[in-house]
Amino acid sequence: FSTALILSVAVGASQAGRTTTIERDYVIIGGGSSGVYSAIYLKDKGKSVAVVEAKDILGGHTETYVDPVTSSPINLAVIYFQTNQVAKDYFARLNISTITHVPGSSQNPTQYYNYATGEKVSYSPSPDTGSALQAYAAQLVKYPYLETGFNLPSPVPEDLLLKFGDFVDKYQLGPAVRTIWNVAQGFGNLLEQPTVYVLKIFGLGVLQSFTAGFTVVASGDNHEIYDKAATILGSDAFLSSKIASVTRSNKGVEVKFSGPNGETKIKASKLILTIPPKLENLRAFDLSNTERQLFGKFSNSVYYAGTVRHNGSLSFPIENYDPAAPFGIPDGPGIYSLSPTGVPNLTNVKYGLPSFVPPEEVGADIIQSIEGLSLNPGEVSLAVLKTHYPFELTVKPDDIANGFYTQLYNLQGTANTYYTGAAFHTHDSAQLWQFTKTLLDGVVV
């Protein structure tokens, strides 16, 4: 990315040892998919905004590695986008050209290896995969509200509370599980997750996109979204920021943080919170007892996405397959898959685990696992590895049944605070843009 661009979006006027106070209509905490969409939406409505982001760049999970040899962009975690009208409008607003991509239409055949042993596995997808996905779709249409959020009925349907493995057995969906597992990466043990979370990440929109095609950025660089948004936001984006305190009331909100330009205090009418609402992320917030009680129920998994450099034969997709495990799904932590990037000697890697492990240890395990494959990967090194933590916030089935998401959604607007982000819907950029637009349509007057 342009160094000048990255630096320009964090410009402030404070002097050392002094606090700069600014006023905005909205302060947005989190510069990922939901936060940046919120900022652009609000600016287009004539509202003043400030985006406070901990990283030194906007984009959240949308990260791109640029190969220093070829200057080719390589998307890491966010690869495709669902096609909906909100996404179309957003791309047009940012003047981003897109194309349609049908997964598998231009890939070499996937090979399967047991990463624990390094041996190739004789496995082929079931010829019944298509019919199993149709049966899965027949279940999805029972719950159209899952496409727009967690507006669950009361009582919550029992099937949504089942472990996904039990749901699969009940409706004989086994041949579809590998396809679903490939989409629902970073979810920990997929078969143990409450079914509602799986139906949301692999919903009707995703299923339809497998045949109609996903939207991809024509330049091949998904971070173009956030580069162009950064230009629009300019000095309204405060990067590399550490929040010191967040105080909220019915009269407005106040956010204090430190950054490259010193201490800043933002006084705003409303707060949009888009970061994962785990208590560890919210230590500086004046949480109510209700917020603390609800956010304290969240658990999460961890997801790593990166690119490895090699001088061997890794020119085709390689999935991790454990012949001894149900549906071949390995019991992590470990690599999900390797996939070609289109750049010689560079391969994307996806890795999941149930709890946080430092990137140095994950990187070492990735290299060891790849070098242990019986296919001559050659010398392997990490080009880049990005941490996605906390990832996929979930609660227990009993909490879902007892109205957790109704209580969570009832927080909207309390103390002039509004919430969006994956914890309030799902890990899908286009879905989050749609959720956020619906939320803000009801807030902005």
Side-chain angles (χ1 to χ4, degrees):
F1 313 112
S2 166
T3 301
L5 174 61
I6 295 173
L7 292 176
S8 70
V9 295
V11 174
S14 62
Q15 298 177 357
R18 300 186 60 183
T19 299
T20 299
T21 300
I22 62 176
E23 295 187 1
R24 294 288 189 272
D25 293 323
Y26 291 82
V27 57
I28 301 162
I29 296 181
S33 183
S34 300
V36 172
Y37 181 88
S38 297
I40 299 298
Y41 172 99
L42 291 167
K43 282 183 74 73
D44 286 350
K45 293 291 185 179
K47 304 300 181 181
S48 59
V49 302
V51 179
V52 182
E53 166 58 37
K55 294 181 180 179
D56 63 358
I57 194 168
L58 299 175
H61 296 302
T62 306
E63 295 170 312
T64 302
Y65 172 71
V66 178
D67 175 34
V69 177
T70 64
S71 298
S72 300
I74 298 171
N75 297 312
L76 301 180
V78 178
I79 309 298
Y80 307 133
F81 300 90
Q82 277 195 58
T83 302
N84 60 35
Q85 190 58 50
V86 174
K88 289 180 180 179
D89 293 344
Y90 191 39
F91 287 128
R93 165 66 181 90
L94 297 176
N95 194 27
I96 291 175
S97 299
T98 63
I99 57 177
T100 300
H101 174 76
V102 179
S105 59
S106 60
Q107 291 184 345
N108 295 323
T110 299
Q111 297 192 18
Y112 301 86
Y113 279 76
N114 184 347
Y115 281 68
T117 65
E119 296 302 314
K120 188 174 182 179
V121 177
S122 179
Y123 167 79
S124 297
S126 169
D128 296 324
T129 298
S131 58
L133 287 172
Q134 289 178 353
Y136 180 79
Q139 297 303 313
L140 287 173
V141 297
K142 296 179 181 179
Y143 315 108
Y145 44 82
L146 295 182
E147 288 291 299
T148 57
F150 277 105
N151 296 297
L152 304 176
S154 180
V156 178
E158 291 185 5
D159 277 356
L160 297 183
L161 305 176
L162 289 175
K163 292 181 180 179
F164 185 61
D166 294 337
F167 182 81
V168 167
D169 291 342
K170 181 175 180 178
Y171 294 104
Q172 300 180 327
L173 304 175
V177 169
R178 292 288 303 188
T179 301
I180 297 168
W181 176 73
N182 267 309
V183 170
Q185 292 184 358
F187 271 50
N189 189 330
L190 179 71
L191 300 177
E192 292 293 314
Q193 288 284 6
T195 293
V196 63
Y197 295 116
V198 183
L199 298 190
K200 285 185 65 60
I201 192 64
F202 196 98
L204 280 172
V206 172
L207 193 55
Q208 291 165 357
S209 295
F210 269 87
T211 53
F214 289 90
T215 296
V216 298
V217 176
S219 68
D221 182 359
N222 286 344
H223 208 273
E224 182 184 350
I225 298 166
Y226 300 95
D227 293 339
K228 289 191 171 180
T231 299
I232 295 170
L233 295 176
S235 60
D236 289 330
F238 296 82
L239 306 182
S240 301
S241 298
K242 182 177 181 180
I243 293 177
S245 67
V246 177
T247 306
R248 304 162 297 157
S249 72
N250 291 331
K251 296 181 180 180
V253 300
E254 184 177 282
V255 177
K256 296 180 181 179
F257 60 92
S258 59
N261 296 287
E263 308 292 325
T264 301
K265 177 168 65 177
I266 299 176
K267 293 182 177 181
S269 298
K270 294 179 174 61
L271 167 67
I272 309 293
L273 184 67
T274 73
I275 63 176
K278 291 273 289 184
L279 292 179
E280 64 196 73
N281 286 343
L282 305 174
R283 292 190 181 100
F285 287 65
D286 60 340
L287 296 180
S288 67
N289 289 336
T290 300
E291 287 173 322
R292 194 171 299 278
Q293 179 261 337
L294 289 171
F295 299 154
K297 292 181 180 292
F298 279 124
S299 59
N300 63 270
S301 54
V302 187
Y303 188 48
Y304 279 89
T307 301
V308 296
R309 193 175 296 278
H310 58 88
N311 56 8
S313 52
L314 294 176
S315 59
F316 43 82
I318 305 173
E319 286 186 19
N320 195 350
Y321 190 98
D322 181 358
F327 311 109
I329 296 177
D331 186 16
I335 293 175
Y336 282 100
S337 61
L338 299 173
S339 55
T341 63
V343 180
N345 303 118
L346 288 176
T347 294
N348 269 352
V349 59
K350 307 293 192 297
Y351 187 104
L353 59 168
S355 58
F356 182 76
V357 172
E360 296 79 13
E361 296 181 29
V362 172
D365 188 49
I366 288 173
I367 292 172
Q368 183 178 19
S369 297
I370 296 175
E371 289 181 340
L373 297 177
S374 57
L375 49 64
N376 186 30
E379 184 177 346
V380 180
S381 62
L382 277 173
V384 64
L385 184 64
K386 295 294 186 178
T387 310
H388 300 266
Y389 168 85
F391 193 81
E392 184 53 28
L393 272 57
T394 61
V395 297
K396 296 178 181 178
D398 285 348
D399 291 321
I400 301 172
N402 291 330
F404 173 86
Y405 283 102
T406 297
Q407 298 170 57
L408 189 72
Y409 276 26
N410 284 341
L411 294 177
Q412 298 286 18
T414 304
N416 282 301
T417 303
Y418 295 86
Y419 301 87
T420 181
F424 285 77
H425 191 6
T426 190
H427 277 283
D428 183 299
S429 293
Q431 292 270 40
L432 287 175
W433 299 334
Q434 182 168 285
F435 176 89
T436 303
K437 180 182 185 302
T438 301
L439 172 69
L440 295 180
D441 280 347
V443 174
V444 178
V445 294

